[in-house]
Amino acid sequence: MEYLIGIQGPDFVLVAADTVAASSIIQMKHDYDKMFKLSEKILLLCVGEAGDTVQFAEYIQKNVQLYKMRNGYELSPAAAANFTRKNLADYLRSRTPYHVNLLLAGFDEADGPSLYYMDYLSALAKAPFAAHGYGAFLTLSILDRYYRPDLSRDEAVDLLKKCVEELNKRFILNLKSFSVRLIDREGIHDLERLPLPQQ
Amino acid sequence: MAAQHVRSLTCILVRLTVLNNSKGKEMGCHPGFGQLSHSGTTYGNFFLSRTDNPGQFQHGVIVAVDSRATAGSYIASQTVKKVIEINPYLLGTMAGGAADCSFWERLLARQCRVYELRNKERISVAAASKLLANMVYQYKGMGLSMGTMVCGWDKRGPGLYYVDSEGNRVGGDLFAVGSGSMYAYGVVDSGLRPELSVEEACELGRRAIYQATYRDAYSGGVVNLYRVHSQGWERVSQDDVLQLHQQYKAEAQD
């Protein structure tokens, strides 16, 4: 039902998530933000079971901030991703596992942009592009076909639009709008919502 | 004796502002098995002004609930109070397990008071709803059944949050909760306009609950209407659903 997508470029990462908060068959909210800002240049996109998503994402968010306060510098995206994975793995075989699927996107001064795919079984993979949800079945092949490592920002947004068009065309659920953000050397930028809001 | 469920709670929350901001929350709960539970439609409608004009007068949050409790197909009570008065500026609605709702919301009231004593200022609606959400999250998967809307007024203006025992917590302008929530959504979504006055919004809430009680077997009794404004909450009206039926029927024939 929920959809996340991330596309990494040579010096940026583009991420998008649908903005529906649903409860069984009802849309409780249609402008819900599923992205959590871990630091100035790291975003965590989180979907999954009700309650677990917010609780886990905020837990990671606060711990990343705590690291910065204690040590004076921020966790890198790779370190944050592995920290997140370790936490997910530790809880996996406990009485209260977190059923969440994540995308972690960040920009590191030294290593450049990075996108990490993580699922509820605590698998972690660094990938040039990734998606979660039923929508991923429809859009991963589009990304396979048209992705290039040297995409410009506009080309990446076009690729994202292609994916959204496919969802609107073939996906049984109506995912009306997506929040889109771009991370680069300067930080996190909000891009226009897709599709453009109707007047 | 078999436990009772308050199955249908029709609650409509309407938040009105002059700038036509309305927010509503609705809660719906499925009845538990063998426990007294409240469920029904709670609808909260909150209109929130999206303009950049913060100094606008706001009408507040309108909360409408029904009052029926059921145990299976037996109507246990028609006079249940599904709105809990947490403090003079915060209301909570109940849907789901009756014991769960009233217990946890009373506990929330206690926590809100402790917050006030410690911080010498009123708790915000967001913080109050987060306290409740965190409390019930500890018991996730252990069989709690609670769907509530926390409505109030704080320094950011009117506030409306839906919190349930699954761990959901969302803030919004309009929610409907309960077994009859979908019927209420239909009426409210189609009747909602930016320029509703307070009376019109109250009437919309009342009508939405009435329509839900009409279609949903587990909703009924009376429609209790509250309004939360900048000075706190006030009880607006209580109308028997059967009388509303006669009234609307007569109006339709005019």
Side-chain angles (χ1 to χ4, degrees):
Chain A
M1 316 283 192
E2 301 178 287
Y3 180 69
L4 300 178
I5 183 174
I7 302 174
Q8 180 197 321
D11 60 347
F12 66 90
V13 191
L14 181 69
V15 287
D18 75 295
T19 56
V20 169
S23 180
S24 97
I25 61 168
I26 296 285
Q27 281 186 25
M28 303 226 69
K29 220 167 132 82
H30 42 257
D31 55 356
Y32 184 71
D33 191 6
K34 302 183 188 182
M35 305 195 195
F36 295 84
K37 187 171 140 180
L38 297 191
S39 75
E40 289 307 312
K41 296 185 189 167
I42 306 181
L43 270 180
L44 182 69
L45 283 71
C46 191
V47 293
E49 186 159 342
D52 286 355
T53 48
V54 173
Q55 294 281 346
F56 183 73
E58 286 189 353
Y59 175 70
I60 299 295
Q61 194 181 43
K62 302 311 168 203
N63 273 292
V64 170
Q65 292 298 312
L66 182 61
Y67 184 95
K68 180 179 170 188
M69 283 182 219
R70 280 186 175 151
N71 302 288
Y73 61 89
E74 290 183 335
L75 275 173
S76 68
N82 280 288
F83 170 73
T84 307
R85 190 213 72 85
K86 182 79 169 65
N87 265 292
L88 211 48
D90 286 341
Y91 278 100
L92 186 60
R93 287 176 199 263
S94 73
R95 281 187 314 109
T96 56
Y98 288 104
H99 200 292
V100 291
N101 292 313
L102 311 164
L103 282 183
L104 194 144
F107 191 96
D108 190 30
E109 291 301 318
D111 302 325
S114 51
L115 176 68
Y116 291 90
Y117 171 99
M118 218 176 314
D119 72 3
Y120 69 100
L121 294 171
S122 190
L124 174 67
K126 184 170 187 311
F129 56 84
H132 273 298
Y134 285 122
F137 286 98
L138 292 163
T139 52
L140 277 174
S141 51
I142 298 179
L143 292 166
D144 283 329
R145 166 73 180 83
Y146 292 105
Y147 176 81
R148 287 183 342 266
D150 56 349
L151 284 173
S152 74
R153 279 146 218 252
D154 291 331
E155 285 169 343
V157 174
D158 285 338
L159 184 51
L160 179 63
K161 282 189 180 153
K162 263 204 188 66
C163 293
V164 169
E165 271 161 22
E166 178 64 15
L167 288 179
N168 288 332
K169 192 165 169 222
R170 289 287 185 186
F171 192 39
I172 199 177
L173 293 184
N174 181 22
L175 292 178
K176 270 193 299 240
S177 77
F178 296 82
S179 59
V180 185
R181 294 205 165 95
L182 185 126
I183 311 180
D184 63 9
R185 187 169 300 275
E186 271 80 52
I188 301 174
H189 312 280
D190 282 352
L191 297 185
E192 239 170 11
R193 286 222 162 153
L194 290 178
L196 295 175
Q198 312 203 325
Q199 300 308 317
Chain B
M1 140 153 205
Q4 294 171 324
H5 299 272
V6 178
R7 197 178 301 247
S8 61
L9 174 62
T10 305
C11 177
I12 300 183
L13 241 91
V14 176
R15 190 169 69 173
L16 294 184
T17 63
V18 166
L19 296 187
N20 304 314
N21 284 327
S22 54
K23 226 183 199 185
K25 263 198 287 201
E26 278 194 57
M27 257 183 10
C29 278
H30 52 274
F33 294 109
Q35 332 152 349
L36 180 60
S37 63
H38 296 275
S39 56
T41 310
T42 37
Y43 160 71
N45 188 352
F46 176 85
F47 290 94
L48 180 63
S49 173
R50 298 256 176 245
T51 69
D52 304 316
N53 208 333
Q56 291 161 350
F57 169 65
Q58 292 175 308
H59 290 300
V61 191
I62 298 194
V63 186
V65 298
D66 78 326
S67 64
R68 180 174 287 185
T70 52
S73 56
Y74 170 68
I75 297 177
S77 167
Q78 295 270 62
T79 55
V80 177
K81 281 203 62 188
K82 299 191 186 181
V83 174
I84 293 174
E85 295 147 11
I86 295 172
N87 63 40
Y89 58 94
L90 269 184
L91 289 177
T93 62
M94 296 205 284
D100 287 338
C101 289
S102 50
F103 176 81
W104 288 104
E105 294 197 14
R106 275 175 70 88
L107 204 49
L108 176 64
R110 180 179 159 280
Q111 282 303 112
C112 291
R113 178 72 185 126
V114 169
Y115 179 100
E116 260 179 37
L117 290 168
R118 285 186 177 147
N119 299 283
K120 288 197 175 171
E121 73 169 6
R122 283 176 171 184
I123 191 170
S124 66
V125 187
S129 61
K130 191 82 179 170
L131 277 176
L132 182 62
N134 288 337
M135 280 195 283
V136 295
Y137 184 72
Q138 309 276 337
Y139 295 87
K140 186 172 158 85
M142 296 190 200
L144 284 188
S145 169
M146 184 200 79
T148 180
M149 291 194 278
V150 180
C151 349
W153 190 291
D154 57 30
K155 27 183 207 223
R156 283 188 266 173
L160 182 58
Y161 286 85
Y162 165 74
V163 177
D164 72 15
S165 46
E166 299 293 302
N168 275 319
R169 173 181 169 269
V170 252
D173 283 349
L174 168 64
F175 294 105
V177 179
S179 54
S181 63
M182 287 172 242
Y183 305 113
Y185 265 126
V187 174
V188 168
D189 283 336
S190 53
L192 210 52
R193 287 184 333 273
E195 334 75 41
L196 282 181
S197 70
V198 176
E199 294 73 30
E200 285 171 336
C202 289
E203 184 49 37
L204 183 62
R206 204 176 287 125
R207 190 68 194 243
I209 297 291
Y210 158 76
Q211 299 284 29
T213 58
Y214 184 72
R215 282 289 179 181
D216 179 31
Y218 302 112
S219 299
V222 300
V223 181
N224 283 312
L225 240 158
Y226 285 73
R227 184 166 85 93
V228 188
H229 49 70
S230 56
Q231 316 303 321
W233 59 260
E234 66 179 5
R235 182 101 179 267
V236 172
S237 66
Q238 180 182 70
D239 298 281
D240 189 313
V241 155
L242 298 172
Q243 278 167 11
L244 284 178
H245 176 74
Q246 300 302 326
Q247 177 195 324
Y248 291 138
K249 190 162 133 189
E251 280 169 15
Q253 277 162 4
D254 291 340

